[in-house]
């Protein structure tokens, strides 16, 4: 009992799962539940796009008999995605001249893969070598911005390569629907340049870098795919010869466009990155591709590619920073010697620009934080000063009318003998006229007794201790009863409590 087969209706292009027998040639029955058209289509898929080895491919196609057409091809031509080897084909993701890409399920490893299938059935050895060259080139690479290869093989007359499935959109789609700001464009190209440099370090030249071969995943990270035209520097391949133009014209370097394949090196990939950078900065490509100026030329020296007048991305989009404009134009220089020598140098310049932008943002945020803190502190100080002015009385008002003890506490400090303690580190000795007046200069009137509230004692007005007291410490007592009421003790020298109390006159 086989698993259900997903059939694509040729009328509405919707997919429908139907039961399938053990024989793959069992015709799907019934009608499409969406549009009502029969699910079975007798019109087989015709034709295929020839690759670079056209003569070999045509001979191979002519030699394919009806018996050599595999059961999978028969099922596929009827509209069912069917299966290939162990893979269950679920959805067609893309279609190219050399092959097609399907979303497929790998039951052995229980995961989805992007399965690239060679369009030509039962290919020649040369075609197979070209197809599997992509798998071998990509399998050497291990980078987060390069889609990994899981497996490759040949089943039922078909060559296939299983890639890691990336959920995302091509760069050209993102460019058209969600234009990139300069910082996002610089980040994307920096990551791509880092990935290309990784490939170059392992001797792999991509030679076909273009937006269609770059996926932007769900996290906004660019992923480089399709190493079908890649060349390994450690192999002397005869698949590409001088004069053969390999790549996509709009993104070719001049040496590629002139067919000088032996002069193609890392700087050719840098040129393609520059064109992509121009495109995502300005929103369009810089101009027409280069064409051969002198046929059968053997060197780029003296050649002048026929290009449309090239402008800069800054001239098209004024929001492009001048630094990014210079980086883009250097990467796109016609002469290889005027470009970045490596993709690493391009990535380093972009990385330096991005770090500078981050520093500016942090500096601006810190400056704003300092200003905001200063404003808050200034407001608090204003509120505090206003409260103090509104709630605190002047010093004289605070001491005026206070009790003698409070007045004494608020008065300048004095020593045990009643003399004022000088303030710390005076600038100059006080003049005699500025000192506190002593009791000898203070009018005591007819008071017989004088109190010292600080020392809790009272004296006779004629006592020598009174003469040494500071005027601020003198308290004139009405009589001894007031001294007792204030809790003052008699002086040991003059003994005021032993003095006779004057008799009142009757």
């Amino acid at each position: 009992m086989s698993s259900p087969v997903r059939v694509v209706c040729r009328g509405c292009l919707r997919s429908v799962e139907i039961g399938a027998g053990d024989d793959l040639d069992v015709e799907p029955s019934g009608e499409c539940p969406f549009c009502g058209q029969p699910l079975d289509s007798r019109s087989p898929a015709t034709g295929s796009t020839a690759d670079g080895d056209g003569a070999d491919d045509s001979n191979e196609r002519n030699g394919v008999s009806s018996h050599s057409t595999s059961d999978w091809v028969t099922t596929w031509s009827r509209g069912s995605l069917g299966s290939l080897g162990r893979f269950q084909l679920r959805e067609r993701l893309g279609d190219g001249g050399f092959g097609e890409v399907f979303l497929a399920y790998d039951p052995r490893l229980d995961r989805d893969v992007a399965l690239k299938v060679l369009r030509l059935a039962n290919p020649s050895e040369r075609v197979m070598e070209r197809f599997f060259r992509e798998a071998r080139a990509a399998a050497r690479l291990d980078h987060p911005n390069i889609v990994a290869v899981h497996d490759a093989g040949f089943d039922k007359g078909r060559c296939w390569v299983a890639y890691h499935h990336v959920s995302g959109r091509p760069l050209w789609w993102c460019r058209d629907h969600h234009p990139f700001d300069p910082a996002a464009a610089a980040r994307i190209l920096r990551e791509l340049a880092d990935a290309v440099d990784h490939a170059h370090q392992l001797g792999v030249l991509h030679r076909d870098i273009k937006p269609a071969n770059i996926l932007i995943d769900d996290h906004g990270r660019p992923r480089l795919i399709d190493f079908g035209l890649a060349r390994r520097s450690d192999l002397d391949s005869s698949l590409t010869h001088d004069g053969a133009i390999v790549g996509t014209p709009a993104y070719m370097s001049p040496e590629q466009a002139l067919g000088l394949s032996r002069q193609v090196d890392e700087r050719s990939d840098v040129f393609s990155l520059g064109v992509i950078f121009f495109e995502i900065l300005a929103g369009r490509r810089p101009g027409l591709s280069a064409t051969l100026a002198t046929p059968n030329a053997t060197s780029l020296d003296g050649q002048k590619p026929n290009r449309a007048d090239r402008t800069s991305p800054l001239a098209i989009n004024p929001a492009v920073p001048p630094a990014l404009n210079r980086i883009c134009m250097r990467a796109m220089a016609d002469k290889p010697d005027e470009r970045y020598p490596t993709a690493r140098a391009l990535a380093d310049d972009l990385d330096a620009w991005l770090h500078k932008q981050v520093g500016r943002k942090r500096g601006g945020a810190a400056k704003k934080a300092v200003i905001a803190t200063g404003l808050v502190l200034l407001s608090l100080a204003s509120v505090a000063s206003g409260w103090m002015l509104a709630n605190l009385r002047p010093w004289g008002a605070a001491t005026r009318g206070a009790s003698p003890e409070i007045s004494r506490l608020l008065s300048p400090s004095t020593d045990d003998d009643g003399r004022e303690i000088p303030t710390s580190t005076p600038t100059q000795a006080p003049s005699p006229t500025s000192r506190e007046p002593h009791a000898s200069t203070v009018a005591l009137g007819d008071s017989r007794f004088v109190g010292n509230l600080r020392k809790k004692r009272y004296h006779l007005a004629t006592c020598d201790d009174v003469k040494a007291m500071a005027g601020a410490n003198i308290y004139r007592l009405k009589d001894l009863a007031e001294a007792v009421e204030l809790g003052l003790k008699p002086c040991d020298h003059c003994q005021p409590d032993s003095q006779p109390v004057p008799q009142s006159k009757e």
Side-chain angles (χ1 to χ4, degrees):
M1 184 68 181
S2 64
S3 59
V5 178
R6 184 172 293 276
V7 178
V8 178
C9 175
R10 291 184 179 270
C12 64
L13 298 180
R14 299 187 182 184
S15 60
V16 182
E17 280 192 355
I18 62 173
D22 294 334
D23 186 3
L24 289 177
D25 288 332
V26 174
E27 298 179 2
S29 60
E31 298 178 346
C32 174
F34 300 102
C35 67
Q37 295 189 17
L39 293 176
D40 185 15
S41 175
R42 295 293 180 179
S43 57
T46 59
S48 62
T49 304
D51 61 352
D53 302 291
D56 293 340
D57 296 344
S58 60
N59 294 336
E60 198 67 36
R61 284 195 297 271
N62 293 334
V64 176
S65 64
S66 59
H67 177 71
S68 65
T69 304
S70 64
D71 292 339
W72 173 74
V73 177
T74 304
T75 307
W76 179 29
S77 66
R78 290 177 181 175
S80 170
L81 295 186
S83 61
L84 175 60
R86 71 175 190 268
F87 299 100
Q88 299 174 10
L89 308 182
R90 293 183 172 178
E91 181 183 351
R92 182 180 287 114
L93 299 177
D95 187 0
F98 203 47
E100 293 184 296
V101 180
F102 297 88
L103 172 62
Y105 173 69
D106 183 359
R108 180 181 297 172
L109 299 178
D110 189 24
R111 63 181 175 186
D112 288 337
V113 297
L115 193 69
K116 184 172 184 177
V117 183
L118 182 63
R119 182 183 295 276
L120 181 64
N122 298 312
S124 64
E125 291 294 329
R126 186 176 180 84
V127 175
M128 290 180 63
E129 181 182 358
R130 180 184 291 276
F131 182 77
F132 286 120
R133 179 180 62 180
E134 173 183 359
R136 296 189 187 99
R140 307 183 75 187
L141 310 178
D142 183 13
H143 192 276
N145 296 104
I146 297 177
V147 177
V149 172
H150 294 323
D151 200 358
F154 180 83
D155 283 295
K156 299 181 180 180
R158 296 283 174 169
C159 298
W160 54 265
V161 179
Y163 288 91
H164 175 74
H165 177 248
V166 177
S167 177
R169 297 279 190 172
L171 179 60
W172 63 263
W173 187 95
C174 297
R175 176 205 65 202
D176 293 342
H177 293 79
H178 305 286
F180 300 101
D181 59 73
R187 179 187 60 80
I188 288 175
L189 200 80
R190 187 268 312 272
E191 295 184 13
L192 286 174
D194 188 70
V196 172
D197 176 70
H198 172 76
H200 291 171
Q201 294 296 325
L202 296 176
V204 177
L205 299 178
H206 192 285
R207 301 198 299 179
D208 194 22
I209 300 175
K210 57 185 179 180
N213 287 340
I214 299 170
L215 295 178
I216 305 297
D217 64 18
D218 294 338
H219 302 287
R221 181 174 57 182
R223 310 289 287 273
L224 188 61
I225 63 173
D226 197 347
F227 283 77
L229 298 181
R231 187 182 74 190
R232 288 173 54 176
S233 60
D234 59 338
L235 297 178
D236 186 14
S237 174
S238 61
L239 293 176
T240 305
H241 54 83
D242 270 345
I245 299 178
V246 177
T248 303
Y251 302 91
M252 284 182 183
S253 63
E255 55 271 23
Q256 284 179 281
L258 296 174
L260 306 175
S261 60
R262 295 300 178 184
Q263 298 185 24
V264 173
D265 57 14
E266 291 84 354
R267 294 169 294 182
S268 300
D269 282 347
V270 169
F271 183 92
S272 300
L273 289 173
V275 177
I276 292 175
F277 196 28
F278 186 107
E279 191 169 338
I280 59 180
L281 283 174
R284 67 173 179 84
R285 289 195 293 266
L288 298 177
S289 60
T291 58
L292 190 62
T294 304
N296 302 322
T298 60
S299 174
L300 192 61
D301 297 335
Q303 293 293 310
K304 188 174 182 180
N306 298 324
R307 292 184 179 270
D309 293 336
R310 182 186 300 165
T311 184
S312 67
L314 180 58
I316 300 174
N317 181 8
V320 176
L324 294 185
N325 187 71
R326 289 192 296 269
I327 292 174
C328 178
M329 298 307 292
R330 181 182 177 185
M332 289 176 52
D334 281 333
K335 295 182 179 180
D337 293 340
E338 296 177 357
R339 301 175 205 151
Y340 286 97
T342 62
R344 169 50 49 200
L346 172 60
D348 288 344
D349 267 10
L350 290 169
D351 195 57
W353 185 86
L354 289 169
H355 276 83
K356 190 175 181 180
Q357 300 308 305
V358 172
R360 288 178 178 176
K361 290 182 179 179
R362 290 178 178 175
K367 185 181 295 184
K368 291 180 180 179
V370 170
I371 294 175
T373 303
L375 292 176
V376 171
L377 293 177
L378 183 60
S379 299
L380 292 176
S382 301
V383 172
S385 60
W387 182 87
M388 293 177 65
L389 292 175
N391 293 276
L392 296 183
R393 293 179 294 172
W395 180 265
T399 57
R400 190 180 301 117
S403 63
E405 294 189 17
I406 295 178
S407 299
R408 177 181 59 80
L409 293 176
L410 295 176
S411 64
S413 301
T414 56
D415 57 13
D416 292 341
D417 296 329
R419 291 187 294 270
E420 180 181 354
I421 300 176
T423 58
S424 59
T425 62
T427 56
Q428 61 181 6
S431 61
T433 58
S434 64
R435 295 176 181 174
E436 186 70 25
H438 288 278
S440 59
T441 61
V442 176
L444 299 178
D446 57 353
S447 298
R448 294 186 58 203
F449 303 101
V450 176
N452 189 335
L453 298 180
R454 182 176 179 276
K455 300 180 69 174
K456 295 291 184 180
R457 291 185 180 277
Y458 68 96
H459 312 263
L460 290 174
T462 58
C463 181
D464 292 337
D465 291 344
V466 174
K467 297 177 181 180
M469 290 171 57
N473 293 333
I474 295 176
Y475 184 80
R476 294 186 292 273
L477 298 173
K478 297 178 180 179
D479 50 25
L480 292 179
E482 186 179 3
V484 173
E485 182 181 353
L486 293 175
L488 304 179
K489 295 181 180 180
C491 174
D492 295 333
H493 299 100
C494 63
Q495 297 180 354
D497 57 338
S498 62
Q499 296 297 320
V501 178
Q503 299 294 327
S504 59
K505 297 179 181 180
E506 295 182 358

